[in-house]
Amino acid sequence: LTGKYRKLTRKKRAISGSTQLWLGDDHVLMVRSSHFAEEYRRFQLADIQSVIACEAPARTLMQVVLIIFGVLCFLAVFGSGTMFERVFFSIVGAMFLGATAYDMLRGPRCRCRLLTEVSTELLEPVTRFSDYRRLMLQLQPAIEAVQGRLDVSDPNVIIPAASGPAFYQPPETPIGAQKYLQPTFYGILLLTCVAYVLFYFWRYEEGFSIGLSGIGAEVLVAILLLSMPERFGVSGVLKTLLIGVSILVAADIVSVVSQISNMVYQVAEAGRTNTKPPVIWDIPWMMTLAKISITWRVIAGATGLIAFWMGREAAPSQPQP
Amino acid sequence: VTVEIRCDYCRTEIPPELWNQENGAKCPFCRRLVLAQVFPSVQKIIRGSGAEAIGSESEASCYYHPQSRAVLACDSCGRYLCGLCDLDVAGRHLCPNCLHHPETSRQVATGLDNRRIMYDSIVLALAIGGGFLLWPSLITGPLSIILAFWFWKRPGSLVPRTRLRFIFAILISLVQIVMWFAFFWALATQRKGT
């Protein structure tokens, strides 16, 4: 049984499992793996009506942010004093730039669907036009061997009509919780700011740690917003603001990572020379970071919330063709 | 009969003259690149018949549509069905409820596996997980070896897949067992020495 399938695509991996397409004698097999079990869906070659790939939104913003992050890491190499810092930032910078270069080299992104008489299936492993072409190199001859070729210019061919409106339906707009991710992001900025205010003005030391956790939360939400701006309704001024804030958050992270690597180096040096380690946290640096963070986070958080609120008030009507 | 050859982004219908183009075509509305390879089965007519209205009170009616005439009974549950509810699947006439029932689905799909357990991955995870947690490896080590041999001949994936995971699981478990032996040996020798 196992020898009769030919691989059509690579595995599309995710944390929860993977998806892959295989070609059988008379059907396409979609294998969804959840690590410990596999589920199978079969599509008879005789039933496949169409395989469509449509250009997906470009990830230019994400790529720009990653390049900036990578360049910042390389700049940090020149500014760092220890070998550990230099090696660390070189590796991290190379990872960011390498990942971006790989993403760009793979070509434009797409979403691919397989249509049968009764179902429409998203082909998750096909995410680029190059993947689609590779898939069709094997799949098209197999389907045409069963069904023959469709010549749309032949007057005897009857093409059925599409159901529903033929021309335009507005693209998906953010629904439910999705539309609140942007104000959540600016809310997190202000909460991080409050934590730093507690540290800066009242010397509440836990405030600094809470601030660092806040930066982590900001990174996660910013990645979500930047990777799927349409889904979360990020556009216009808010898009520009989001990019600006992401760069500042990236600068904060570089600063924090630099400080932590310095700490690790000092502790390691103290261990090597068998001396007492110096003061672990650099207080003047912490105060400077808190001061800068408070300033820009107050401005960005408030501006973001106001811009979002004003954008909601003046929601544009749906365009017509 | 309908066909849904549409742009995935703006849902605009892609006209037939833009199908099967080697380099694709731009969507007429959003101008995104669309590659649509369409095959002759697009002309296929969907099978199935509609339901007929009931004629008199003496006629049997569909269990799901009381106003429709029953044409036959479900092969699984025996309920009367109209032409709309009758689903002809692999030579059996089933109602939608029975078709969705896991037991019936399994019977219908005889010889076609829809799901398989990957015992090799489970055994490997057990061996590695036990090793990471250290103490549980006292039990999971030997258990992984037993399970690896137990499940060795069970059908694996439908698609090509080697038994490397079983082999790795056995090797990892053997290493764990050897290390536990070494540990207890060292402990016993030390106690003997003191």
Side-chain angles (χ1 to χ4, degrees):
Chain A
L1 256 177
T2 50
K4 69 174 185 178
Y5 286 107
R6 274 188 293 149
K7 198 186 283 182
L8 276 178
T9 61
R10 285 182 293 187
K11 274 186 183 172
K12 166 80 177 170
R13 292 177 192 277
I15 296 167
S16 57
S18 63
T19 313
Q20 194 173 20
L21 293 174
W22 295 78
L23 181 63
D25 294 334
D26 61 351
H27 63 274
V28 173
L29 183 76
M30 182 187 270
V31 182
R32 284 212 174 98
S33 166
S34 57
H35 299 302
F36 302 123
E38 283 184 352
E39 284 187 5
Y40 307 108
R41 289 203 68 181
R42 294 170 180 81
F43 304 95
Q44 291 293 316
L45 293 176
D47 289 339
I48 295 173
Q49 290 185 334
S50 172
V51 185
I52 309 171
C54 181
E55 191 180 341
R59 285 201 289 215
T60 319
L61 277 174
M62 190 73 185
Q63 287 168 349
V64 168
V65 170
L66 284 176
I67 288 171
I68 291 169
F69 211 81
V71 170
L72 280 174
C73 285
F74 275 112
L75 287 176
V77 171
F78 297 110
S80 48
T82 63
M83 180 57 81
F84 177 83
E85 281 178 355
R86 280 187 212 130
V87 172
F88 178 83
F89 283 118
S90 304
I91 293 170
V92 173
M95 276 168 64
F96 279 116
L97 293 181
T100 315
Y102 177 68
D103 188 35
M104 289 160 87
L105 284 172
R106 285 185 69 198
R109 295 166 65 240
C110 74
R111 280 166 72 86
C112 183
R113 289 186 191 275
L114 185 146
L115 266 70
T116 67
E117 198 178 342
V118 290
S119 68
T120 303
E121 191 70 34
L122 176 70
L123 302 183
E124 287 166 37
V126 183
T127 54
R128 309 281 168 155
F129 281 117
S130 51
D131 296 339
Y132 174 81
R133 289 197 175 95
R134 260 198 305 275
L135 167 78
M136 293 314 285
L137 272 179
Q138 287 195 72
L139 189 56
Q140 192 175 343
I143 297 173
E144 284 179 353
V146 177
Q147 296 187 24
R149 215 184 168 89
L150 180 75
D151 183 6
V152 283
S153 59
D154 183 351
N156 296 323
V157 170
I158 302 159
I159 306 293
S163 65
F167 203 66
Y168 178 79
Q169 282 179 0
E172 286 175 17
T173 48
I175 46 157
Q178 288 175 5
K179 65 183 172 190
Y180 293 112
L181 195 67
Q182 276 195 91
T184 307
F185 177 68
Y186 295 109
I188 295 172
L189 283 185
L190 292 177
L191 282 177
T192 311
C193 178
V194 169
Y196 281 130
V197 164
L198 288 174
F199 169 73
Y200 190 78
F201 291 105
W202 287 280
R203 296 297 161 93
Y204 177 63
E205 287 182 6
E206 289 302 316
F208 192 81
S209 306
I210 296 167
L212 292 183
S213 307
I215 292 178
E218 286 163 14
V219 170
L220 288 177
V221 182
I223 288 171
L224 267 177
L225 288 171
L226 284 170
S227 56
M228 290 176 281
E230 277 102 6
R231 180 179 288 187
F232 300 111
V234 184
S235 58
V237 181
L238 284 166
K239 206 172 203 173
T240 318
L241 186 65
L242 179 64
I243 296 168
V245 168
S246 301
I247 293 167
L248 288 168
V249 172
D252 268 3
I253 292 169
V254 170
S255 175
V256 169
V257 171
S258 165
Q259 181 63 23
I260 289 172
S261 63
N262 191 34
M263 269 166 47
V264 172
Y265 173 75
Q266 283 184 23
V267 171
E269 272 296 296
R272 198 173 59 84
T273 54
N274 211 11
T275 53
K276 196 182 168 191
V279 178
I280 289 181
W281 280 105
D282 181 357
I283 300 295
W285 168 80
M286 287 163 78
M287 296 299 276
T288 313
L289 180 75
K291 193 162 69 179
I292 295 169
S293 289
I294 291 167
T295 315
W296 74 259
R297 275 186 172 81
V298 164
I299 297 167
T303 313
L305 285 176
I306 292 166
F308 177 78
W309 183 254
M310 287 169 72
R312 265 184 86 213
E313 290 293 300
S317 58
Q318 285 174 349
Q320 294 298 320
Chain B
V1 183
T2 60
V3 60
E4 299 294 324
I5 312 292
R6 290 178 180 276
C7 167
D8 204 60
Y9 183 73
C10 69
R11 307 297 303 144
T12 296
E13 187 186 340
I14 305 298
E17 57 269 22
L18 300 182
W19 297 355
N20 300 353
Q21 307 261 339
E22 198 177 328
N23 294 318
K26 298 275 181 190
C27 164
F29 187 81
C30 67
R31 312 299 301 160
R32 282 171 192 271
L33 181 64
V34 179
L35 273 79
Q37 194 64 45
V38 186
F39 301 100
S41 71
V42 79
Q43 302 170 92
K44 204 189 274 183
I45 294 165
I46 295 169
R47 291 176 296 274
S49 58
E52 281 180 49
I54 204 160
S56 65
E57 278 186 16
S58 59
E59 276 184 317
S61 66
C62 170
Y63 176 81
Y64 298 100
H65 303 101
Q67 302 305 314
S68 302
R69 178 185 292 162
V71 288
L72 42 73
C74 172
D75 284 343
S76 177
C77 65
R79 286 169 179 156
Y80 285 130
L81 306 175
C82 62
L84 195 68
C85 299
D86 166 33
L87 300 171
D88 185 358
V89 186
R92 297 181 70 194
H93 293 275
L94 300 172
C95 66
N97 259 7
C98 288
L99 188 67
H100 278 109
H101 195 271
E103 186 57 36
T104 326
S105 302
R106 259 201 298 279
Q107 287 169 10
V108 167
T110 316
L112 291 178
D113 282 334
N114 289 330
R115 193 168 190 274
R116 280 195 181 177
I117 306 287
M118 298 294 108
Y119 295 105
D120 52 352
S121 298
I122 294 173
V123 173
L124 184 62
L126 190 69
I128 294 174
F132 269 118
L133 298 171
L134 207 67
W135 289 109
S137 63
L138 257 174
I139 298 162
T140 58
L143 188 66
S144 301
I145 294 178
I146 293 167
L147 289 177
F149 285 112
W150 186 271
F151 291 125
W152 186 270
K153 289 208 166 175
R154 287 280 178 97
S157 174
L158 269 183
V159 293
R161 184 174 165 115
T162 61
R163 291 201 160 84
L164 264 179
R165 289 173 183 81
F166 276 136
I167 295 167
F168 278 131
I170 292 169
L171 288 176
I172 291 167
S173 303
L174 280 175
V175 169
Q176 288 170 7
I177 291 168
V178 167
M179 287 179 82
W180 277 117
F181 265 113
F183 173 73
F184 286 121
W185 178 266
L187 211 66
T189 321
Q190 201 179 23
R191 195 166 281 179
K192 213 173 177 180
T194 53

